[in-house]
Amino acid sequence: MKKTAAELVRHALEQLGVRHTFGIPGVHNTETYDALAGSATVRPIRVTHEGNAAFMADAVSRTNEHLGTLLIVPAAGTALAMAGIGEAFLDGIPMLVISGGTHGSHGFKYQLHEIDQLAWVKPVTKGAWRITRHRDVVPTLYEAWRTATRGEPGPVFVEIPVDLQMIPGEVDELPAFDPGPQTEAFDDGAIEAAARLLLQARRPGLFVGWGAVDCGASIATIAERLGAPVATTLQGLSAFPGDHPLHAGMGIGPAAVPAAEQAFADCDVLLAVGNRFGEIATGSYGLRGGWRLVHVDINPAVFNANYPAEITIAGDARRVLPALAARLQALGGDAPAARGTEVAQRIAAAKQAYHDEWLRHDSRGRVNPARFFDALRAALPDEAWVVTDDGNHTFLTAELFESRRARHLVSPTDFNCMGYGVPAAVAIQLTHREEPVVAIVGDGAFLMTGIELSTAAEHGLGVVVCVFNDGELAQISQAQQLPYNRKACTVLPEIRIEGIARASGARYLRMESDADIERVLQAARSEAAQGVPVVVDVHVDYTKQTRFTQGIIKTNLARMSVGNKLRLVARAAWRRVVTPA
């Protein structure tokens, strides 16, 4: 039979269960857009910017069973999408990127968009293919899906030349998709050794990341059996319910919230799952690893990279943790009953003290972050989705907002790209129309991608975007203030957020002080329920630093040589004399 590549792409995506593609049509992919316009199950979504399309596809993969998919033009489209592709790559998120390609048959050189895309995307993808025959389209897309989703997930890239999309070519069949067997073994001996070591521990602890996001029940079983605290990475915040009495918070070192720092201060055996011990997770590597480490991860390359492990178990946490929980039970050892109670009491007391500290803080007539997040948590059902961006608001959310459902708190982490929040929230609302979606973004991040709310307005999506407005790039400006005593390029000009909101088709609400919090959040939810995006302009108080910011500043200063410390201190002191605050 003869089919165009555009028709074959449609067949493959329908078979793969893809529900939406994100991108912008251009001369190198209009045939595929036309083919998808006739699909009963795949809906192409036009966006304002291919970078936003990639953030949207990333968010779909994080919060759905189907694969987030891009459909973009080559060269320029791929260049703009690279930020989101890189985010997915470093965060371990599956994504399918389909790009048009230049003509492969007429022989002319210097075509529009002619560039070696496969070489370009190689560092940020798990696999990349350029299709040259019609009969390869469907098998290649199936193989790309397997590559994206098997092992440690990540993005894949498929380039399909425009002439193949337009001109019919020979294909042998239109095969149904068969994912094939997923044979992944793990070391039973290591499971046994890990169980025995954990049962022997005096003060065991669990430190879990995104790789354990679907393992909440097993984590709870293990933690309760051991009487052990559970901390998460930033990306893994939703991997364990925040209202569980053994949930200590984000991080375990000097950049962690007090409950987690105290709960893990005397940890002698640490079980780390789906956690690479990266820079953010460790507070700029401020952890002092005095524990014996049991490390579980789907990617064995992470073992011993930053912290030495006594026992390593390579495998999917969704299979490893139930096996470990069963082995702990079979060995018949339970922690002393008082241990779990004591740990939970210490966590609760430390959480309450930290919360009270925030409530006592004088926010000088602006919105106190703790009061904001208290009200937001009270206003949202547990099944609501919360999305952050990159900035100071990210760590405020991590420290002050309680996530209770797996995957329902989404945050860019290792690529750490500003601008993620709005498009990601729009995509999550698109795929979860009946559940509330709230984005927490900084004013600097909103300036990057806030216009994508026009896509939400076009599709009747009542997403709520809370813009933490302080007039600065706060995470960096706070880090500048101590060593420099001045802020370079981190103070923003006056931005009329209302204008951006209304230009995008969104409603605008203003929250100036604590007295406005509950009323404005209630109004935002009411407006959003009508299928209209809402921007809440939150005049937030950022004068109190998060524990994360305090911790990484101290860690990085401590790492410097005495000479460099003296130089920084002398410069800051001199500037305080010359230009006092």
Side-chain angles (χ1 to χ4, degrees):
M1 72 181 83
K2 284 193 172 184
K3 294 283 184 181
T4 67
E7 295 170 322
L8 296 169
V9 169
R10 170 180 161 177
H11 171 79
L13 294 186
E14 291 172 343
Q15 288 289 310
L16 290 170
V18 170
R19 293 290 174 263
H20 301 90
T21 64
F22 301 94
I24 300 175
V27 296
H28 291 84
N29 62 12
T30 53
E31 287 288 331
T32 299
Y33 269 91
D34 183 70
L36 290 179
S39 175
T41 58
V42 184
R43 185 181 184 188
I45 302 294
R46 184 199 63 256
V47 300
T48 65
H49 190 290
E50 283 92 347
N52 295 346
F55 292 144
M56 295 166 91
D58 171 292
V60 166
S61 289
R62 292 186 198 230
T63 58
N64 294 273
E65 293 183 355
H66 51 272
L67 187 62
T69 302
L70 296 185
L71 180 56
I72 56 178
V73 296
T78 300
L80 295 175
M82 287 288 273
I85 298 170
E87 190 71 62
F89 181 73
L90 289 190
D91 285 4
I93 306 300
M95 178 189 293
L96 174 59
V97 184
I98 301 173
S99 168
T102 55
H103 277 269
S105 57
H106 61 35
F108 291 104
K109 303 298 292 182
Y110 306 110
Q111 297 180 52
L112 177 70
H113 295 326
E114 185 175 354
I115 196 168
D116 185 355
Q117 296 195 108
L118 269 60
W120 208 3
V121 302
K122 184 178 179 180
V124 292
T125 57
K126 288 186 68 183
W129 297 262
R130 179 178 294 115
I131 293 176
T132 58
R133 305 185 307 170
H134 289 81
R135 59 173 41 93
D136 293 335
V137 173
V138 173
T140 299
L141 288 171
Y142 289 174
E143 181 59 26
W145 184 94
R146 295 185 189 97
T147 301
T149 59
R150 298 289 168 83
E152 183 176 26
V156 293
F157 185 94
V158 180
E159 179 186 291
I160 305 175
V162 61
D163 48 326
L164 267 66
Q165 296 176 54
M166 297 172 62
I167 302 168
E170 292 288 343
V171 294
D172 301 321
E173 59 178 341
L174 292 179
F177 176 60
D178 178 6
Q182 189 162 358
T183 56
E184 185 182 286
F186 52 83
D187 186 348
D188 288 328
I191 295 283
E192 173 80 16
R196 292 187 180 279
L197 181 59
L198 287 164
L199 288 172
Q200 294 166 9
R202 293 180 299 100
R203 290 289 184 182
L206 284 73
F207 190 21
V208 299
W210 181 261
V213 73
D214 297 319
C215 306
S218 294
I219 295 168
T221 297
I222 293 169
E224 290 163 7
R225 183 167 293 277
L226 297 173
V230 180
T232 77
T233 65
L234 173 62
Q235 190 182 355
L237 273 166
S238 68
F240 192 61
D243 55 353
H244 192 288
L246 292 174
H247 188 291
M250 185 189 79
I252 64 174
V257 290
E261 184 180 19
Q262 293 168 24
F264 286 82
D266 54 358
C267 177
D268 59 339
V269 177
L270 182 67
L271 172 61
V273 186
N275 167 12
R276 303 166 177 158
F277 289 96
E279 183 169 358
I280 289 180
T282 60
S284 286
Y285 313 106
L287 292 182
R288 296 294 177 260
W291 12 257
R292 301 168 74 181
L293 177 60
V294 179
H295 200 170
V296 179
D297 202 277
I298 200 167
N299 180 5
V302 308
F303 298 146
N304 303 302
N306 291 325
Y307 295 86
E310 185 167 328
I311 299 171
T312 59
I313 305 173
D316 190 327
R318 291 173 295 185
R319 297 181 64 238
V320 172
L321 288 187
L324 179 57
R327 194 63 199 140
L328 288 169
Q329 182 176 11
L331 289 172
D334 281 327
R339 182 194 290 171
T341 301
E342 176 213 351
V343 169
Q345 289 173 344
R346 289 168 59 193
I347 289 172
K351 283 185 174 181
Q352 187 62 53
Y354 189 54
H355 183 256
D356 292 345
E357 177 186 316
W358 272 94
L359 295 182
R360 288 193 303 270
H361 177 68
D362 181 3
S363 292
R364 303 175 188 180
R366 295 177 71 90
V367 174
N368 182 300
R371 297 188 189 279
F372 172 87
F373 284 112
D374 283 353
L376 182 65
R377 179 67 280 173
L380 294 178
D382 288 356
E383 62 269 19
W385 304 82
V386 174
V387 186
T388 73
D389 209 287
D390 172 45
N392 196 48
H393 68 277
T394 311
F395 299 100
L396 285 169
T397 308
E399 295 186 4
L400 300 174
F401 182 79
E402 186 177 89
S403 176
R404 298 171 183 166
R405 293 281 182 90
R407 296 181 178 267
H408 280 60
L409 180 57
V410 175
S411 176
T413 304
D414 289 332
F415 200 81
N416 235 31
C417 192
M418 287 176 63
Y420 178 92
V422 171
V426 172
I428 294 171
Q429 190 72 81
L430 178 70
T431 53
H432 300 86
R433 286 181 175 267
E434 303 305 315
E435 297 162 4
V437 179
V438 176
I440 311 294
V441 304
D443 44 5
F446 185 73
L447 289 176
M448 288 186 165
T449 58
I451 199 68
E452 200 62 61
L453 284 171
S454 61
T455 302
E458 177 184 359
H459 295 282
L461 305 176
V463 61
V464 175
V465 176
C466 296
V467 181
F468 277 22
N469 181 359
D470 75 318
E472 296 185 355
L473 304 177
Q475 185 69 17
I476 303 304
S477 68
Q478 287 184 2
Q480 289 177 332
Q481 188 62 44
L482 178 64
Y484 306 144
N485 195 37
R486 67 183 182 194
K487 300 171 182 179
C489 292
T490 54
V491 177
L492 301 174
E494 181 182 357
I495 304 298
R496 293 175 181 159
I497 292 175
E498 180 177 6
I500 299 173
R502 297 198 184 282
S504 304
R507 306 279 170 81
Y508 172 84
L509 297 169
R510 187 179 178 93
M511 184 185 295
E512 292 194 15
S513 69
D514 291 347
D516 300 330
I517 296 175
E518 293 185 4
R519 174 185 58 81
V520 172
L521 287 179
Q522 182 178 3
R525 288 206 60 196
S526 178
E527 297 269 16
Q530 302 174 35
V532 180
V534 179
V535 173
V536 180
D537 186 355
V538 182
H539 287 235
V540 71
D541 170 40
Y542 272 161
T543 58
K544 179 174 170 57
Q545 291 182 340
T546 62
R547 281 294 295 254
F548 181 83
T549 297
Q550 295 173 37
I552 61 172
I553 289 174
K554 289 178 181 177
T555 292
N556 285 309
L557 286 175
R559 191 176 287 130
M560 290 183 178
S561 66
V562 174
N564 280 328
K565 285 181 189 176
L566 291 174
R567 182 179 64 84
L568 289 177
V569 169
R571 180 177 64 182
W574 174 248
R575 287 178 177 173
R576 280 171 173 78
V577 172
V578 176
T579 56

